[in-house]
Amino acid sequence: MGNFAIMRWGKIKFDGVSNAEYHQRTELHKNCEHPELREQNFTFRQFEDETLRQTTKRLMAAQQERTGRAVRKDATVMVDFVLTFSPEMVGKIDMGTWFKANVDWLHREFGAKNLLRLDMHFHESCPHLHAFVSPLDEKGNFNFKKHVKHISQLVAMQDRYAKAMERFGLERGNTRWAEVENGKMKPTSDITRHKPLRAWRADLLKQISAMQEQLQQLPEITESQQKALRELQRLHQQVESKKGTKKKLDAQVEDLQKDVATLTGRKELLTTQIEDLQKATEEEKIRYLNLKADSEKLSGEIARKRRELTEYVFSDRNSVPEVPRGTLHLGEADDILDL
């Protein structure tokens, strides 16, 4: 498992200061692994009302006024440190304590006044700290060589950083430099050295020449081989054409599937409406039959009453009580028939 303390740095000239600060705008980082953690990022600036370029320009002007000489255009006016650890250690380190330990280390190495800006980022694969340091000496002049004059100083700086991170279970990686004598360093054999441009071009020309010789030794392409190549090219074109046709057909099928889904939805809606209408029709039919039965029952009752009334009207009057004079109403006849 990787548990390394990682410290990388890069020198920045005045022309690159604005770009270095612009890169810290995390909202521009599109392909980040944890965009949901972007809100946890934070920034500290020593001079809140100045950009890094404005601060550097002010320090350069102060040096020129003090020394009477302008700062060289190729001078290192800022150093960007990236401080982090192995991704396997994410979640195993208290980030607040780790952040403070890194700030303490930067103060010891360069002094608090030279620490211009800190950016803590959580939204990428591993949390990391960007530290922008102004390499000023005790006189306030830009003097990067005071801090890093020789490779041995860089090796020692890596050693000190790893020592400061031991409390978090982190350790130093293997160094690629070995001390020879009297503080002199030389690279170990596993370091890949860059070739000078002239040597690289010479090797490239040798490779090209060797490839040309190999081409000359190849047999000439026969007529049948050329024919086969043409046929292969024709088939390749047909395949590409078929791919285009298939793509169009796939698009048409997708559109038809959408139409089928829409029609299916409409069919289901109409089916539901039809079932509701059929249910309503059945209820109306039952109600009609009930009303018809009630009507027939009433009609029979009315007919029976009429027959009784007719019998009463045309029956022997001496056998029934005398009806009072006046108009005989159906209701009164019903009362009499009930006696």
Side-chain angles (χ1 to χ4, degrees), residues 20 29 49 56-57 73 82 96 135 142 147 196 214 261 274 281 285 296 305 318 321 325 336:
H29 301 176
D49 297 332
T56 305
K57 192 173 183 179
K73 292 183 178 180
V82 179
F142 290 97
H147 303 281
Q214 292 177 2
I274 290 173
T281 302
K285 182 177 180 180
E296 292 176 353
K305 292 288 185 178
N318 296 325
R325 294 182 179 182
I336 292 172

Side-chain angles (χ1 to χ4, degrees), residues 1-6 84-86 89 169-174:
M1 181 184 70
N3 61 332
F4 296 114
I6 300 173
T84 183
F85 45 82
S86 300
M89 297 297 291
L170 303 175
E171 61 183 25
R172 193 195 195 288
N174 296 327

Side-chain angles (χ1 to χ4, degrees), residues 99-235:
F99 174 79
K100 293 178 181 178
N102 279 272
V103 172
D104 292 341
W105 178 81
L106 289 167
H107 285 179
R108 290 193 300 271
E109 291 290 327
F110 301 96
K113 66 177 183 179
N114 289 343
L115 188 56
L116 301 182
R117 172 170 172 155
L118 292 173
D119 291 90
M120 188 68 206
H121 292 169
F122 292 93
H123 65 289
E124 297 185 19
S125 59
C126 186
H128 59 277
L129 174 65
H130 281 273
F132 294 93
V133 176
S134 183
L136 302 177
D137 58 19
E138 61 278 359
K139 297 180 181 180
N141 298 331
F142 290 97
N143 188 0
F144 179 70
K145 289 185 178 180
K146 173 185 179 295
H147 303 281
V148 182
K149 186 176 181 180
H150 191 265
I151 189 65
S152 60
Q153 291 178 284
L154 285 176
V155 175
M157 185 186 297
Q158 291 279 7
D159 293 339
R160 292 193 296 272
Y161 181 71
K163 186 69 176 178
M165 295 295 111
E166 284 182 351
R167 57 189 289 198
F168 303 102
L170 303 175
E171 61 183 25
R172 193 195 195 288
N174 296 327
T175 179
R176 298 185 298 176
W177 294 86
E179 183 176 354
V180 181
E181 60 179 355
N182 299 327
K184 294 183 179 180
M185 310 289 290
K186 74 171 185 178
T188 56
S189 59
D190 60 343
I191 292 182
T192 301
R193 306 298 295 176
H194 289 287
K195 289 183 178 180
L197 182 59
R198 182 176 299 177
W200 178 81
R201 286 178 176 174
D203 290 343
L204 184 60
L205 290 175
K206 288 180 181 179
Q207 295 177 14
I208 293 174
S209 178
M211 293 176 66
Q212 288 177 343
E213 291 180 359
Q214 292 177 2
L215 286 174
Q216 292 177 357
Q217 294 175 2
L218 291 176
E220 295 183 358
I221 300 177
T222 62
E223 179 65 25
S224 59
Q225 290 174 334
Q226 291 180 354
K227 183 177 180 181
L229 287 174
R230 289 194 296 269
E231 181 64 18
L232 180 62
Q233 184 178 7
R234 186 183 67 81
L235 292 175

Side-chain angles (χ1 to χ4, degrees), residues 84-97:
T84 183
F85 45 82
S86 300
E88 292 83 355
M89 297 297 291
V90 174
K92 301 178 182 179
I93 296 176
D94 180 75
M95 295 307 301
T97 308

